[in-house]
Amino acid sequence: MKRIMVIGVSAGAGKSTFARRLGEALGIEVHHLDRLFWKPNWVEASIEEFGQAQQKIVDEKQEWIIEGNYTGTFDIRAEYADTMIYLEIPLYTCLYRVIKRWLTNLGKTRPDMGVGCKEKMEWTFIKFIYSTYYPRKKKMRERFRQYGKGKNIIVLKNKREIEDYISRLENLKRVVAN
């Protein structure tokens, strides 16, 4: 695993946290798509600018973890990835985590977000998560069929599976280091 996509069924699946921990365990730099997409104060990057930023990473870096869904540029990352790690956490957990994240980060900008994008919550975002959750699960299976040939695809479905996976990598890293 040298070029890793971390994707999830929804906001709140834990992609950013997982990617950060994965990066620490593997010693690979993590790139958060939200940081590339959101300019200061929630201004969106153009699709060209956003795609070029990702292309630069996959072209110039031998190892990377790119975290985030952004289906409009999925193919850029998928073409170069050797591993896709998909977090398919239950809907109620995603919703809980999004609300908890909002309350925990009120008035702050999270490290995985663009500069000056202070945490906010809008009803349309909650509605988006709820209304797209099940169609996105189905769509992700199609993406694996389309882009997953010859790639390592790992699906983690709950906190325990995530913790076990990270623990195995950390233990392997300790064994190799000794």
Side-chain angles (χ1 to χ4, degrees):
M1 292 193 309
K2 300 288 184 195
R3 295 174 163 229
I4 305 163
M5 291 175 64
V6 174
I7 49 184
V9 66
S10 174
K15 297 179 297 293
S16 297
T17 300
F18 177 82
R20 179 182 44 77
R21 292 182 65 201
L22 182 66
E24 290 168 1
L26 297 175
I28 298 176
E29 184 179 5
V30 177
H31 304 272
H32 300 281
L33 291 181
D34 281 339
R35 286 189 62 88
L36 300 176
F37 184 76
W38 293 108
K39 294 179 175 188
N41 303 312
W42 296 102
V43 174
E44 296 179 13
S46 71
I47 191 70
E48 295 82 17
E49 183 179 16
F50 184 52
Q52 287 171 357
Q54 292 172 66
Q55 193 67 54
K56 183 176 180 180
I57 294 167
V58 299
D59 285 345
E60 295 179 2
K61 307 275 184 178
Q62 293 300 311
E63 298 181 339
W64 46 258
I65 297 170
I66 300 178
E67 171 273 317
N69 288 345
Y70 290 92
T71 57
T73 57
F74 191 91
D75 59 326
I76 294 171
R77 303 177 307 276
E79 180 181 344
Y80 296 88
D82 58 42
T83 303
M84 296 178 177
I85 301 177
Y86 174 54
L87 306 181
E88 191 177 89
I89 307 303
L91 175 60
Y92 65 88
T93 303
C94 293
L95 289 168
Y96 168 77
R97 287 178 176 174
V98 164
I99 293 168
K100 179 182 173 189
R101 178 174 73 194
W102 169 60
L103 292 171
T104 303
N105 294 290
L106 273 174
K108 298 183 238 171
T109 300
R110 298 189 328 262
D112 56 305
M113 290 302 298
V115 175
C117 294
K118 294 187 186 303
E119 192 66 26
K120 64 180 182 174
M121 180 59 62
E122 297 171 348
W123 172 247
T124 54
F125 186 53
I126 296 292
K127 186 177 176 183
F128 170 79
I129 293 168
Y130 181 78
S131 64
T132 62
Y133 180 87
Y134 294 103
R136 287 172 71 124
K137 278 177 72 169
K138 182 179 178 184
K139 184 71 175 171
M140 195 56 70
R141 301 288 186 252
E142 294 170 19
R143 283 195 187 98
F144 290 152
R145 281 191 292 278
Q146 182 178 359
Y147 297 106
K149 290 179 182 67
K151 299 186 188 315
N152 185 20
I153 298 176
I154 299 161
V155 179
L156 304 172
K157 293 194 170 197
N158 57 51
K159 185 176 180 176
R160 184 173 182 186
E161 288 182 10
I162 290 169
E163 291 300 322
D164 288 348
Y165 185 79
I166 292 291
S167 292
R168 283 193 307 272
L169 290 175
E170 290 169 340
N171 288 336
L172 182 60
K173 183 179 179 180
R174 279 191 288 275
V175 169
V176 170
N178 294 329

